[in-house]
Amino acid sequence: MSDSDLAALRERAARGDLDAVGELVELAAEREDFGELRRLADAGSSDAVDQLVELAAEKGDVNELGRLAAGGNSDAADVLAELAEEAPDED
């Protein structure tokens, strides 16, 4: 996708086009673009939030999971708890 196509898609999403938002979420997830997913999540896309949690879990990004959990995302909190259970004790 060209930069101009991406810009047009973002413009459509900004105007409330849910199909455009969905495409952006899918593209951002494929590119592992945390920044784009955060912007979309902040704009109200629950799909972007779900993708952020999934991507952060795959990458073991406890900072991102912690940020999402602190914002009230229970899925992120659950993943953090699972990661903590799996982590070896550091005595």
Side-chain angles (χ1 to χ4, degrees), residues 24-33 37 51 55:
L24 283 173
V25 169
E26 188 175 315
L27 287 170
E30 288 172 7
R31 291 188 329 257
E32 298 182 354
D33 186 342
L37 288 170
Q51 286 297 319
L55 188 56

Side-chain angles (χ1 to χ4, degrees), residues 59-89:
K59 299 292 182 184
D61 188 337
V62 294
N63 291 331
E64 184 66 24
L65 290 167
R67 185 187 74 79
L68 292 164
N73 187 285
S74 60
D75 291 334
D78 291 345
V79 172
L80 273 176
E82 289 173 19
L83 289 174
E85 288 174 9
E86 295 171 3
D89 290 334

Side-chain angles (χ1 to χ4, degrees), residues 20-61:
V21 171
E23 286 183 56
L24 283 173
V25 169
E26 188 175 315
L27 287 170
E30 288 172 7
R31 291 188 329 257
E32 298 182 354
D33 186 342
F34 281 90
E36 183 87 62
L37 288 170
R38 281 186 208 107
R39 283 189 293 279
L40 292 164
D42 290 346
S45 171
S46 61
D47 290 338
V49 174
D50 293 342
Q51 286 297 319
L52 269 173
V53 172
E54 186 176 322
L55 188 56
E58 287 173 10
K59 299 292 182 184
D61 188 337

Side-chain angles (χ1 to χ4, degrees), residues 8-24 40:
L9 194 57
R10 286 178 178 141
E11 209 172 285
R12 286 179 35 217
R15 288 193 308 258
D17 183 334
L18 296 180
D19 290 334
V21 171
E23 286 183 56
L24 283 173
L40 292 164

